[in-house]
Amino acid sequence: MLLPTALRARVAGAPGAAEPLPVERNPEARAAPFRFVPRLVRFPREHEFFEDGDVQRHLYLQDVLTQVAEAPEKSRVPEFTCQVAGCCQVFAALEDYQHHYHMMHGNACSLCSRAFPSEHLLDTHILEWHDSLFQILAERQDMYQCLVEGCPEKFKTTQDRKDHMVRLHLYPADFRFDKPKTNRGPATPETVADLSTRTLADDGDAMEVCCEPTSLTPARVGERRTYNHRIPSTICFGQGALRGFKSTKKRNKHH
Amino acid sequence: MWSRRQSHLRRVACGVEELRCRRREQEAALRKARREQQLVSKRLLRESIQQFLRLAQRGTDEKEREKALVSLRRGLQHLETQQTFIWMEGSMRILVGLLTCNRALLQLEAARCLHELSHSEQSAVAEACLPATSYLLIYLSGHSSDFIELCLYTLGNLIVESEAVRRHLLPQGIVPALASCIQSPHVAVLEAVGYTLSQLLQAKEAPEKIIPHILDSTLLQHMLQLMQPGPKLNPGVAVEFAWSLHYIICSQVNNALLITHGALSTLVLLLLDLAEVVQRTEDVGLELLACPVIRCLSNLLAEVATEDVGGQMELRDERIVAALFILLEFFLQKQPSLLPEGLWLLNNLTANSPTLCTSLLSLDLIEPLLQLLSLSNVVTVLVLTVLCNVAEKGPAYCQQLWPGPLLPCLLNTVALSDTDVVGQSLELLQLLFLYQPEAAQAFLQLSGLQALERHQEEVQLQDRVHAVQQTALHC
């Protein structure tokens, strides 16, 4: 196609257009048997007009998805240790360390060292577990917020919240990121339930890296800790947990 | 410009049948490649799967646990292993347990296993992954961009294969999760968000069940932002969101809202940018972005009421027409099957716009347009329709169409056998003779009447043939 040479420059130029020529229609133009009328055409989804372009899109995606499926090459480095206090995991590839850091230390509670998959869950945890005002308010009003982002519902208890998430948001019944606060008394049914589902899976604590000093006697371990009893051998024990215990401003339920 | 994807883009021959053939070839090649990989990692039997799962779950050495999952993942590339896996009791529960355990690398390998499963074309396999979806969504709010990317592609794949998965993902909060991910600074994450979104929007229930939620969220604003031309525009990202926008627009749920959000102006600017880029580089794959942009613009134009056209300043800018022709030329060279779509946009631009019809004339674009005639019947009809859009605006326009190369071209098209082509040619001839009577004389001198005779018996054409003949004789 031979385009006028000035065209390319025009695209790069200033917006605007020549003054439109005067429109002057003769009604005979649309008289039978002629039927032309200028018409805006729209094509809905699935219209066959789109078939060719759709096929190309599909071919492109197939290429992309094949690439994504291949696990990337790792950049090997001399072994090094995670520098976060209390963690002595060793790594030989940068990508591994990056992932470890983000998952285990990225959204970690500085008070109890539990790690969370997102800032939102961490904030919720801090509020529900480390905030005395929250505890006071929770006695009088519905404070446990639904964990699904954007859902405004609040509940009196964590169990109610869990029921809501299972019923309305179709979360799995054994959802693991909603640890009920069981400091109100002896092990409640939900704690038992949590324990039993967890035995099916691996290390006791889903997403909660808890650096517990082994010096803790069972008497001092409160309900909150009961589901930490299977601590993987590779976890280091250190200051992280002690900080949590040292914090004085809240009611330490495990005393 | 396209990062690592570029080397995998291939130009496809035009013609739908050839495209389908190419697609079949490519799929066969993919399957063959996978089968060859299988020589190294054989199909996993039930016992092996159990062994790997047990080791991954309970092993004491973390490296061994990781390796077990890697072996499982390789096995899961095969259909039989996938099926064995999903039917084994407790297998998914264990995998989900590993996905949510406190060892980052095990989580990652577990996620990769799920990713393999997500490639299955069997909806039963996708459905079996349901217990994992809420966790995949939660991980989208994390900080590890590689992991987020993996979760997104997994979710995107699952979305394609299973309506049950989609039914769960919406109440589980996929829309807010995507709205949060779309703010990531990582290009790879953005591309993955776009992919997942585009797959979600393609679902058959999307117009009723999904698009309203998307339009209610902040996704739209972010999408349009990511399509703004400029130094920060990433074509791989823009492609995904352009396709997403296309699925939204052609579903016709609430296009007025899109116009309010400035979609028209973003699309026009992007079109102009594409036209500039196309001239600068030999980039493979720009048509992948041009196609959805053209579709979006064209369908949105059809929403803008006639009276509003004047109000939409972008639509009175002749640069759009100039840009479109540059893209038409690009399509002609690289992807002729996209010419009809480009011409469809040209129709919608010119139908009710004296300004843009004048631009076609003042920018000397009639002759290039005529060069597209006879490439195919579809293209010919579209070219003739655009010319009719110009001609029907009256004598001032027709005087610019003739004298010129138009008439001889019409004599060629009228001699063809396709009814639509001839019919549209007759419409154009009639307009031309009505507003520019001297053209009729020239027509007669070029033996136009004889050319028309062959269609005199054609039912769909005869009335118009006769009328044109009469007009020509009596002008």
Side-chain angles (χ1 to χ4, degrees), chain A residues 72-88:
Chain A
E73 276 263 332
K74 293 193 192 181
S75 36
R76 301 263 154 218
V77 293
E79 277 195 359
F80 64 97
T81 317
C82 177
Q83 293 300 298
V84 172
C87 178
C88 35

Side-chain angles (χ1 to χ4, degrees), chain B residues 442-461:
Chain B
F443 178 74
L444 293 173
Q445 280 161 14
L446 290 167
S447 317
L449 284 181
Q450 290 86 318
L452 289 176
E453 268 163 27
R454 61 180 290 207
H455 301 295
Q456 273 168 342
E457 301 309 307
E458 178 60 54
V459 166
Q460 289 184 54
L461 298 173

Side-chain angles (χ1 to χ4, degrees), chain A residues 105-198:
Chain A
H105 308 304
N107 292 300
C109 176
S110 58
L111 297 167
C112 64
S113 294
R114 277 184 171 76
F116 294 87
S118 71
E119 211 171 302
H120 172 64
L121 285 175
L122 172 62
D123 289 344
T124 307
H125 160 81
I126 291 176
L127 188 67
E128 292 176 10
W129 287 50
H130 301 302
D131 187 330
S132 33
L133 184 59
F134 180 93
Q135 294 309 313
I136 294 168
L137 290 172
E139 277 159 33
R140 283 186 262 137
Q141 56 192 194
D142 295 345
M143 292 290 288
Y144 290 95
Q145 171 112 45
C146 173
L147 295 178
V148 177
E149 287 207 53
C151 180
E153 298 294 318
K154 292 194 179 178
F155 301 89
K156 192 112 188 78
T157 66
T158 54
Q159 184 60 46
D160 288 344
R161 168 172 64 192
K162 185 168 202 165
D163 288 342
H164 161 85
M165 283 170 65
V166 170
R167 262 183 316 105
L168 204 79
H169 296 292
L170 305 185
Y171 266 57
D174 60 350
F175 183 65
R176 300 166 65 124
F177 296 146
D178 175 17
K179 295 294 167 287
K181 221 163 184 251
T182 55
N183 47 3
R184 301 244 156 118
T188 52
E190 65 245 37
T191 318
V192 171
D194 276 344
L195 274 174
S196 58
T197 55
R198 218 162 292 105

Side-chain angles (χ1 to χ4, degrees), chain A residues 69, chain B residues 73 76-77 82 112-120:
Chain B
R73 171 170 48 94
L76 287 174
Q77 287 173 359
Q82 290 170 357
R112 290 202 180 114
C113 288
L114 277 166
H115 185 74
E116 282 306 331
L117 285 166
S118 77
H119 277 291
S120 168

Side-chain angles (χ1 to χ4, degrees), chain B residues 331-349:
Chain B
F331 288 161
L332 186 60
Q333 302 304 318
K334 302 275 162 78
Q335 200 64 266
S337 61
L338 287 179
L339 279 171
E341 300 203 20
L343 289 167
W344 164 47
L345 175 56
L346 190 58
N347 171 73
N348 282 4
L349 283 170

Side-chain angles (χ1 to χ4, degrees), chain A residues 8 21 51-52 103 200, chain B residues 16 20 57 107 279 397:
Chain A
R8 297 164 200 279
L21 294 166
E51 189 173 315
D52 288 345
M103 298 305 277
L200 292 171
Chain B
V16 182
R20 285 209 201 97
Q57 184 189 26
Q107 273 178 26
Q279 305 171 70
Y397 294 79

